[in-house]
Amino acid sequence: MSDFFAGNSLVNMYAKCAFSEVSRSGTVSWSSMIGGRAQHGHGKNALLLFDEMLRDGVLPNHVTLVSVLCACNHAGPVTEAKKYFEMMEESFGIQPSQEHHACMIDVLGRAGKLDEAMDLVNKMPFEANASIWGALLGAVRIHKNVDLGQLAAEMLLTLEPEKSSTHVLLAKVYASVGSWENVAKVRRLMKDSKVKKELGMSWIEVKDKIYMFIVGDRSHSRSKEIYAKLKELGVLMAKAGYVPMIEIDLHDVEQKEKELLPAHHSEKLTVAFALIETPPGAPIRVKKNLRICLDCHTAFKFICKIVSWEIIVRDINRFHHFSDGSCTCGDYR
């Protein structure tokens, strides 16, 4: 289980099929399946499974409820999330923890209910931890609330000053509203604090060998073919209506130059390599050490439809299954 690929393969396999083999399913089995489905983006399915669990007379534990609230984020029902959150103590005797609050704040924040999310932060019976401020900052990035973003970032920087992700998220909030002066300030703060942004990398296993790529990577022996494939895909994607997602890029440069910046991200290079190396029809399974970027997520929805190929990306947060022009995460990143 210490092997990364073997461990993820087992999680993937169990999440899809092992439950039917469990003759007497207890809380752990139910929770594993609910969590597995939520992680793979099947939020509605996970919630249906939770309802089935309750009908079977199996009581959830705190882990089950974390998965349920995460599933609500995928499925989008804020009302459902509120119901389950309130049921925790009333029906199951489970006191909501920091993790449950973080999930609920994420649900509210992503739905644009930032005032409600902040109200929940203020009403918590404990001090907000990094997970809670991180969930709020992630929501702020989507809805471009600079003032709230600054507050969440300040709290995160106090709790976890060494983490580069906080600086990057705050910079993206500023970039999303065109505040390049503040983006520069965040970069200077990172430099002065000697905080380095983690290098994004993606990798894939093909014929028992691991191939790893970083942004703009040209070290592979088949680089010419890889970049030719990306160019070919770019033309086909443009004809299909793809427009580079550049509004959150952190570089204050011209429009055409901005469009080129995400074109050679590590996950795109990995998928292009897989398309010229993987047998037709075999799913492309990519791993990434950071969260998949918005542009790559959008591009893969086009690519999977153009080439009729299933693409599965496991980023730091969850699995993304791209097929026939859509992703199982429902554009939840």
Side-chain angles (χ1 to χ4, degrees), residues 10-27:
L10 286 171
V11 169
N12 187 30
M13 177 185 71
Y14 288 139
K16 288 182 176 178
C17 63
F19 190 64
S20 62
E21 302 299 323
V22 180
S23 58
R24 299 184 67 181
S25 305
T27 301

Side-chain angles (χ1 to χ4, degrees), residues 233 237 271 275 299-308 311:
L233 290 171
M237 288 160 60
V271 166
L275 287 172
F300 290 161
K301 289 194 291 183
F302 280 89
I303 291 172
C304 72
K305 190 168 187 176
I306 289 169
V307 299
S308 300
I311 301 170

Side-chain angles (χ1 to χ4, degrees), residues 161-332:
E162 75 289 348
K163 288 195 72 172
S164 63
S165 57
T166 301
H167 296 80
V168 173
L169 268 177
L170 179 59
K172 286 184 177 180
V173 172
Y174 286 135
S176 69
V177 294
S179 182
W180 300 110
E181 182 181 346
N182 281 317
V183 171
K185 285 181 180 178
V186 174
R187 283 179 163 174
R188 282 198 298 271
L189 177 61
M190 290 180 70
K191 185 177 181 180
D192 293 342
S193 304
K194 296 182 179 179
V195 174
K196 292 184 178 180
K197 180 182 176 182
E198 185 177 357
L199 179 65
M201 57 185 71
S202 302
W203 58 96
I204 188 170
E205 181 178 4
V206 178
K207 298 175 184 176
D208 298 324
K209 286 187 66 177
I210 306 298
Y211 298 89
M212 185 174 290
F213 297 86
I214 60 173
V215 61
D217 202 332
R218 292 184 181 272
S219 62
H220 196 278
S221 60
R222 302 186 70 179
S223 283
K224 287 186 178 180
E225 294 173 80
I226 292 170
Y227 279 85
K229 174 60 72 172
L230 278 180
K231 187 174 181 179
E232 174 193 331
L233 290 171
V235 172
L236 295 173
M237 288 160 60
K239 289 181 180 179
Y242 163 76
V243 177
M245 307 296 287
I246 61 172
E247 77 278 7
I248 59 168
D249 193 85
L250 302 183
H251 299 79
D252 185 15
V253 295
E254 294 297 321
Q255 178 83 3
K256 288 185 178 179
E257 188 177 346
K258 272 191 175 185
E259 291 180 3
L260 293 174
L261 288 170
H264 300 152
H265 278 182
S266 64
E267 53 266 59
K268 285 196 183 79
L269 293 172
T270 309
V271 166
F273 167 70
L275 287 172
I276 62 177
E277 185 72 17
T278 305
I284 294 172
R285 302 179 187 275
V286 176
K287 309 290 192 307
K288 183 176 169 82
N289 66 325
L290 303 176
R291 185 174 61 182
I292 185 173
C293 83
L294 177 60
D295 180 71
C296 288
H297 192 275
T298 302
F300 290 161
K301 289 194 291 183
F302 280 89
I303 291 172
C304 72
K305 190 168 187 176
I306 289 169
V307 299
S308 300
W309 217 312
E310 183 184 12
I311 301 170
I312 302 167
V313 178
R314 173 62 166 107
D315 69 5
I316 195 170
N317 286 337
R318 61 189 51 81
F319 288 89
H320 299 267
H321 296 252
F322 298 92
S323 179
D324 196 29
S326 63
C327 177
T328 53
C329 78
D331 294 336
Y332 172 96

